[in-house]
């Protein structure tokens, strides 16, 4: 039992007694988490008025068809090391602690329910081993696998559990529903690369899957990864003061997973109505590009009456623009495809199965979900434009828009992952861009310069801080973080200001219904108190290994330091010996170009090298010796051209500041 009406009573008691029993903040370590304030407790209590916590249907659906879990709650990698202790979220039980939004706590309690489940005859899922569910369809002689997890460890553990409890059959095909790692990275856990390359096992994806997978994570890999640390709360502990959920499900900390891969598919879906027969099982596809992912599909299995809605339908409002930053998603198309699914399959379907969270059972329940998620995105889309046409800017729309009660009261429409307030900004930007039309905002000063001036006008740091303390006491936390941003940016050595801003961020985190808002705010507090959360350079070396050679040059051109390159020129031919490709690479006007070589260009140097040496060059620059001295590399011409190019390459790092200057 996750939530019952009795919690309202329990929580009311906690709300009354909690602020009185808190230790005084001065006795706390400045860099450790603080308790919830009475203002936060009051805000969180409002959730009980807004939503029906006595509704038990989600719990019934999340546990329905349970077959088994891994015995000790531990996933192990190929070497036998602990990859994930699945029990790390077991603390989420009973009433909500004061430091977690109660609606999010309820959701987090549901997404921790894990194991092997039977959805209907011949359709199984393993949930809670990974951020994504892995699904299995029993075909005539084996299993069709849908979305094989983020990593091979989770996928293999899920398949092993299925074989043990349902039947030991081979995998006959794999589907990745879209171009996000959590839906393809674990494929080696269920089939071998040879089986896919040879075509023995159909690997089915939407058209554009491979290209979009590369595009979304590589060119912007560094910026997105650093921001992603905030979104996912990577530097935070898993507990009631830290991470409780990732909105879509659980990701696990502290273990060693076998690495994710990106393989090219051998079967593409490129239009709606396309059908495939897989080992006697018919699938009817719906092609849904430019929605939750740039390349995505959904499908219907007539014999099982199951509609797999991938990530267009989830038990949360999803993101039109997640805080880690991506190309903005098309809310109108998103709503359209969910509605189209009702037209195409609504007459027959009995089950709707999302890629994250748990299924919907029965036609009425399933159609209510598809209809209200479609209308949720359409309402956000239409009303953002409506309000923009009335002259409201992004912040004003976010503060004004209100969902109809029929949409707002559904648990599956809550903003546990995406949030209405940031999704309206995504719609605004999709059509109108970042600018709000007010010329004062068109060419703003950089934030540091703004900060110094603000603090001067506040009357200095001390005066600003006194004001902020007053606002903090009133529980005006959003204003505190906004105002103190100027003090902290003007002087990142002002520890008192940083600590107070951290305290305000933390309370905002405790209040957030969205897990990614919570993770962001708590990460901001953590970094203000303890310094930046750091991780290794993401493009060294794993991600570059998967790139097409053309994309390696695309990456190289954004790694060029334009200021250093000003006035410099070079011209090199790269003959990629193991791909029989040749590129003319040249620098002019501070820009690095690459084109297929005609073999006739005037070049200073021709390099004959295998692709892995080109990758090594990108990674080891400005040092060129390990590449030039390799037996597999031949040069013809002036090697100083390569040294010049290498000297202009920047290695991005993940340690850039976000909450301080
Ligand atoms: Zn996903």
């Amino acid at each position: 039992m996750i939530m019952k009406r009795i919690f309202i009573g329990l929580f009311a008691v906690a709300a009354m007694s909690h602020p009185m029993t808190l230790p005084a903040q001065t006795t706390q370590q400045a860099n450790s988490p603080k308790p919830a304030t009475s203002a936060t407790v009051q805000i969180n209590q409002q959730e009980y008025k807004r939503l029906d916590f006595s509704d038990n249907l989600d719990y019934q659906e999340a546990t329905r068809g349970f077959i088994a879990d891994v015995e000790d709650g531990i996933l192990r990698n190929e070497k036998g090391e602990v990859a994930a202790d699945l029990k790390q979220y077991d603390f989420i039980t009973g009433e909500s602690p004061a430091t977690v939004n109660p609606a999010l706590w309820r959701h987090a309690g549901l997404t921790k329910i894990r194991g092997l489940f039977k959805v209907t005859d011949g359709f199984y899922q393993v949930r809670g081993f990974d951020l994504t569910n892995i699904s299995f369809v029993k075909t005539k002689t084996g299993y069709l696998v849908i979305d094989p997890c983020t990593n091979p460890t989770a996928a293999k553990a899920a398949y092993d559990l299925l074989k043990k409890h349902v039947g030991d059959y081979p995998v006959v095909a794999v589907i990745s529903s879209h171009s996000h790692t959590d839906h393809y990275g674990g494929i080696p856990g269920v089939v071998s690369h040879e089986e896919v390359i040879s075509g023995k096992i159909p690997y089915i994806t939407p058209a554009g899957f491979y290209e979009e997978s590369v595009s979304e994570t590589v060119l912007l890999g560094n910026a997105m990864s650093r921001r992603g640390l905030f979104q996912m709360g990577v530097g935070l502990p898993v507990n009631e003061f830290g991470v409780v959920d990732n909105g879509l499900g659980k990701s696990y900390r502290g273990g060693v997973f076998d690495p994710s891969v990106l393989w090219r598919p051998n079967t593409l879906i490129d239009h709606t109505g396309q059908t495939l027969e897989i080992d006697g099982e018919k699938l009817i596809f719906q092609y849904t590009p430019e929605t939750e992912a740039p390349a995505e599909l959904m499908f219907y299995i007539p014999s099982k009456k199951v509609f797999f809605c991938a990530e267009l339908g989830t038990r949360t409002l999803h993101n039109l623009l997640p805080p880690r930053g991506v190309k903005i998603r098309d809310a109108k198309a998103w709503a359209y495809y969910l509605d189209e699914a009702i037209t195409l399959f609504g007459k027959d379907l009995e089950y709707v199965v999302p890629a994250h969270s748990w299924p919907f059972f029965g036609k009425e329940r399933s159609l209510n979900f598809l209809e209200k998620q479609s209308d949720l995105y359409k309402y956000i889309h239409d009303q953002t434009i409506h309000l923009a046409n009335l002259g409201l800017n992004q912040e004003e729309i976010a503060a004004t828009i209100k969902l109809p009660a029929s949409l707002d009261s559904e648990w599956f429409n809550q903003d546990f992952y995406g949030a209405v307030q940031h999704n309206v900004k995504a719609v605004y930007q999709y059509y109108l861009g970042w600018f709000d039309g007010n010329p004062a905002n068109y060419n703003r000063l950089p934030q540091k310069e703004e900060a110094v001036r603000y603090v001067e006008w506040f009357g200095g740091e001390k005066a600003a801080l006194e004001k902020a303390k007053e606002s903090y006491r009133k529980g005006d936390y959003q204003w505190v973080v906004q105002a103190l941003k100027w003090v902290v940016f003007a002087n990142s050595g002002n520890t008192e200001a940083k600590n107070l801003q951290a305290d305000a961020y933390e309370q905002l985190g405790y209040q957030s219904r969205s897990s990614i808002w919570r993770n962001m705010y708590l990460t901001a507090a953590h970094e203000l108190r303890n310094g930046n959360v750091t991780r290794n350079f993401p493009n060294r070396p794993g991600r570059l290994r998967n790139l097409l050679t053309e994309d390696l040059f695309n990456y190289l051109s954004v790694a060029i330091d334009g200021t250093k390159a000003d006035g410099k020129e070079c011209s090199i031919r790269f003959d990629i010996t193991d791909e029989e490709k040749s590129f003319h690479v040249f620098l002019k006007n501070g820009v690095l170009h690459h084109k297929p070589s005609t073999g006739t260009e005037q070049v200073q140097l021709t390099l004959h090298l295998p692709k892995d040496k080109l990758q090594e060059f990108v990674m080891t620059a400005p040092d060129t010796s390990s590449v030039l001295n390799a037996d597999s590399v031949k040069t013809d011409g002036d090697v100083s051209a390569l040294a010049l190019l290498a000297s202009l390459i920047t290695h991005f790092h993940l340690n850039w500041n976000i909450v301080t200057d």
Side-chain angles (χ1 to χ4, degrees), residues 178 182-183 311 356:
H178 62 285
D182 51 325
H183 302 265
E311 210 161 315
H356 295 270

PDB file of all heavy atoms in Angstrom, residues 178 182-183 311 356, ligand 1:
ATOM      1  N   HIS A 178      13.084   4.211 -29.821  1.00  0.00           N
ATOM      2  CA  HIS A 178      13.554   5.562 -30.188  1.00  0.00           C
ATOM      3  C   HIS A 178      15.020   5.777 -29.851  1.00  0.00           C
ATOM      4  O   HIS A 178      15.674   4.906 -29.273  1.00  0.00           O
ATOM      5  CB  HIS A 178      12.660   6.643 -29.587  1.00  0.00           C
ATOM      6  CG  HIS A 178      12.613   6.673 -28.085  1.00  0.00           C
ATOM      7  ND1 HIS A 178      11.918   5.762 -27.339  1.00  0.00           N
ATOM      8  CD2 HIS A 178      13.163   7.539 -27.195  1.00  0.00           C
ATOM      9  CE1 HIS A 178      12.025   6.065 -26.048  1.00  0.00           C
ATOM     10  NE2 HIS A 178      12.790   7.126 -25.948  1.00  0.00           N
ATOM     11  N   ASP A 182      18.647   4.889 -23.183  1.00  0.00           N
ATOM     12  CA  ASP A 182      17.981   3.937 -22.279  1.00  0.00           C
ATOM     13  C   ASP A 182      17.097   2.950 -23.040  1.00  0.00           C
ATOM     14  O   ASP A 182      16.564   2.019 -22.439  1.00  0.00           O
ATOM     15  CB  ASP A 182      17.191   4.663 -21.181  1.00  0.00           C
ATOM     16  CG  ASP A 182      16.254   5.739 -21.705  1.00  0.00           C
ATOM     17  OD1 ASP A 182      16.597   6.396 -22.697  1.00  0.00           O
ATOM     18  OD2 ASP A 182      15.175   5.920 -21.114  1.00  0.00           O
ATOM     19  N   HIS A 183      16.980   3.118 -24.348  1.00  0.00           N
ATOM     20  CA  HIS A 183      16.148   2.206 -25.148  1.00  0.00           C
ATOM     21  C   HIS A 183      16.966   1.339 -26.108  1.00  0.00           C
ATOM     22  O   HIS A 183      16.403   0.586 -26.883  1.00  0.00           O
ATOM     23  CB  HIS A 183      15.064   2.996 -25.883  1.00  0.00           C
ATOM     24  CG  HIS A 183      14.211   3.747 -24.914  1.00  0.00           C
ATOM     25  ND1 HIS A 183      13.022   3.259 -24.422  1.00  0.00           N
ATOM     26  CD2 HIS A 183      14.443   4.919 -24.255  1.00  0.00           C
ATOM     27  CE1 HIS A 183      12.531   4.115 -23.534  1.00  0.00           C
ATOM     28  NE2 HIS A 183      13.383   5.126 -23.408  1.00  0.00           N
ATOM     29  N   GLU A 311       7.547   6.288 -25.637  1.00  0.00           N
ATOM     30  CA  GLU A 311       7.675   7.303 -24.589  1.00  0.00           C
ATOM     31  C   GLU A 311       6.783   8.514 -24.875  1.00  0.00           C
ATOM     32  O   GLU A 311       6.918   9.558 -24.249  1.00  0.00           O
ATOM     33  CB  GLU A 311       9.138   7.710 -24.427  1.00  0.00           C
ATOM     34  CG  GLU A 311       9.436   8.124 -23.007  1.00  0.00           C
ATOM     35  CD  GLU A 311      10.905   8.111 -22.661  1.00  0.00           C
ATOM     36  OE1 GLU A 311      11.594   7.131 -23.024  1.00  0.00           O
ATOM     37  OE2 GLU A 311      11.366   9.070 -22.023  1.00  0.00           O
ATOM     38  N   HIS A 356       8.213   3.497 -20.069  1.00  0.00           N
ATOM     39  CA  HIS A 356       8.554   3.741 -18.666  1.00  0.00           C
ATOM     40  C   HIS A 356       7.267   3.609 -17.846  1.00  0.00           C
ATOM     41  O   HIS A 356       6.176   3.733 -18.367  1.00  0.00           O
ATOM     42  CB  HIS A 356       9.122   5.151 -18.476  1.00  0.00           C
ATOM     43  CG  HIS A 356      10.431   5.379 -19.164  1.00  0.00           C
ATOM     44  ND1 HIS A 356      11.641   5.131 -18.558  1.00  0.00           N
ATOM     45  CD2 HIS A 356      10.718   5.827 -20.402  1.00  0.00           C
ATOM     46  CE1 HIS A 356      12.620   5.437 -19.400  1.00  0.00           C
ATOM     47  NE2 HIS A 356      12.091   5.862 -20.533  1.00  0.00           N
TER      48      HIS A 356
HETATM   49 ZN1  LIG B   1      13.413   6.653 -22.034  1.00  0.00          ZN
END
